Structure formats: structure tokens, C-alpha cells
Amino acid sequence: MDILYLMILCSVSLAAIFLVVFIVNARKGQFEDDESPAVRILFDSGEIKEKEKDGNKTNEKEKGENNKIEEKSE
């Protein structure tokens, strides 16, 4: 029965520690912007910027390894 009291004490103290860490991070603004990182990954690419600069020119960075192999074989 003593171990049960110890386990309850440990779990409550661990939950209290996680709650304090969560509150501190929430006040610092850690959880403020939850949508833009998921959207930013779709548009933050060097390939898109290079395509806009080059126009219709193909760039070696855009081509994958398979395309390079096919070009060499032709």
C-alpha cells in the first residue's frame, strides 16, 4: 500500500511540473502562431524563387537524380 502512495505522489508532482512548464511557455508566446509554420513550409522553397528568376530555363537543382541519369543515357 505504501508503494501506491508513492506512485500517486510521483505522478501528481510530475503533472504539476508539466503544468508549470506549459504555463511558463504559454506566457512567453511559444504557442502563439500555430498556423503559419505549417503553411510557410509550402512556400518557402529555393526552387520556386529560382524558377521565377530563370523563367523557362531548367535548372540543375530542380532535376532529380532520375532525370540526370536519363539525360546522360540519351
Side-chain angles (χ1 to χ4, degrees), residues 15-71:
I17 290 170
F18 279 123
L19 181 65
V20 168
V21 169
F22 174 75
I23 290 172
V24 168
N25 285 330
R27 288 190 182 192
K28 286 183 179 179
Q30 181 74 24
F31 307 112
E32 289 293 322
D33 191 16
D34 58 346
E35 187 174 334
S36 71
V39 174
R40 190 178 339 146
I41 195 168
L42 299 174
F43 299 111
D44 192 19
S45 176
E47 294 178 2
I48 294 172
K49 293 176 185 174
E50 290 176 7
K51 284 182 184 178
E52 290 174 357
K53 289 179 183 177
D54 294 340
N56 291 333
K57 296 178 186 177
T58 56
N59 202 349
E60 286 295 327
K61 292 180 182 177
E62 295 174 22
K63 297 178 182 177
E65 293 296 323
N66 293 336
N67 291 341
K68 290 179 184 177
I69 294 171
E70 289 176 5
E71 286 179 1

